[in-house]
Amino acid sequence: MIKCHLAKLMGEKKYKIIDVARATGLNRSTITLLYKESAQKVDLETIDKLCDLFGCQVGELLEKVE
């Protein structure tokens, strides 16, 4: 299973979903699915934009857990 740490990253910067959407140009529904960890698939462009926004590596955003 892949765990998404978007909610944690957003909490650290006190960002709301709309803040992330405006800063990245991503659709709010895409961010909401990642925030709630219910996304089934994610584009590489989405991951890239989120990593740029939060100044993190992919491994800090996504983690494989058993």
Side-chain angles (χ1 to χ4, degrees):
M1 175 171 115
I2 304 294
K3 181 160 179 58
C4 181
H5 297 288
L6 180 60
K8 180 183 132 209
L9 293 170
M10 287 173 61
E12 289 171 357
K13 294 203 177 218
K14 296 186 170 68
Y15 284 168
K16 295 180 181 175
I17 289 173
I18 191 66
D19 299 329
V20 176
R22 286 181 182 147
T24 61
L26 296 171
N27 191 302
R28 284 181 57 183
S29 62
T30 300
I31 298 163
T32 300
L33 288 172
L34 288 167
Y35 182 87
K36 294 182 178 183
E37 296 190 59
S38 57
Q40 296 297 310
K41 59 183 176 179
V42 184
D43 289 335
L44 293 176
E45 183 180 350
T46 299
I47 294 169
D48 186 49
K49 287 182 179 185
L50 290 171
C51 286
D52 285 347
L53 176 64
F54 292 103
C56 68
Q57 297 295 312
V58 176
E60 296 170 87
L61 178 63
L62 303 171
E63 175 187 12
K64 177 153 175 62
V65 294
E66 299 302 320

